[in-house]
Amino acid sequence: MSERRETDLCLRPAEPGDYPLALALYLEGVKKHLTKIGRWDEDRFTALFYQGYRQEQTRIICVEGRVVGFIQVVDFTDRLYLRQLHLIDGFRGRGIGSALIGAELKRGVETGRPVTLDVMHGNPAKRLYVRLGFAVTGQDPDKEQMIWRLPGKPKPRTSRKRSAPDDRR
């Protein structure tokens, strides 16, 4: 892998004409992962994308002037939510996602907020998220929810009622 220069990677605001590419990249990734576990339904995921995609939260990823993907981050008051990050084939595994997520983690530190995301079951990107310090907080039939907590911030305490006695010794 050749070293990537910062000038090779740029982000620009999404425009209305970017929606078809964003939808196609999303559906490609979702189909690949959810078909493996029998959860693929194109109509359902097209509708989910339509409901969640917001042009004003989305930036188009370009490398050497070529559009190679998109990132959508929701800026909540208590957290940053990495809603989408999709790259076209041939640009995955080149450090682009790591650089973009790293920038969001830095923004989280600067603003005092954790970063959350969802990852589809079976998506190999989960290894990257774990390597960057994300931890699983929950799951549903399609995906796992993950959080990156600010350095030095403890995990919130939760009370759990156990249905059976704790048999750990």
Side-chain angles (χ1 to χ4, degrees), residues 38-165:
R39 302 267 317 148
W40 173 241
D41 177 339
E42 185 168 353
D43 291 338
R44 180 169 74 100
F45 284 98
T46 299
L48 286 172
F49 185 82
Y50 178 79
Q51 292 168 4
Y53 179 85
R54 298 289 176 268
Q55 180 181 312
E56 67 277 4
Q57 300 167 344
T58 304
R59 290 169 287 159
I60 301 302
I61 305 162
C62 300
V63 173
E64 297 176 353
R66 179 179 174 196
V67 173
V68 300
F70 75 98
I71 183 170
Q72 180 181 353
V73 179
V74 183
D75 201 338
F76 290 113
T77 56
D78 64 339
R79 66 189 168 104
L80 298 172
Y81 173 47
L82 177 56
R83 183 169 178 79
Q84 305 282 342
L85 174 54
H86 297 278
L87 295 166
I88 64 172
D89 252 347
F91 288 86
R92 298 176 193 130
R94 293 175 51 176
I96 297 168
S98 296
L100 294 171
I101 295 169
E104 294 304 325
L105 298 181
K106 181 179 178 191
R107 193 162 69 109
V109 168
E110 290 169 351
T111 61
R113 293 179 287 175
V115 178
T116 60
L117 58 81
D118 298 329
V119 60
M120 293 287 172
H121 292 297
N123 186 339
K126 181 181 175 186
R127 291 190 300 271
L128 168 64
Y129 305 146
V130 170
R131 190 173 75 239
L132 293 173
F134 284 84
V136 174
T137 59
Q139 67 177 347
D140 65 29
D142 300 325
K143 60 192 176 300
E144 292 178 274
Q145 294 80 39
M146 301 184 81
I147 189 168
W148 176 87
R149 291 185 174 84
L150 294 165
K153 293 277 184 174
K155 180 179 176 181
R157 296 179 76 68
T158 58
S159 62
R160 292 188 205 164
K161 293 186 177 188
R162 298 176 191 257
S163 58

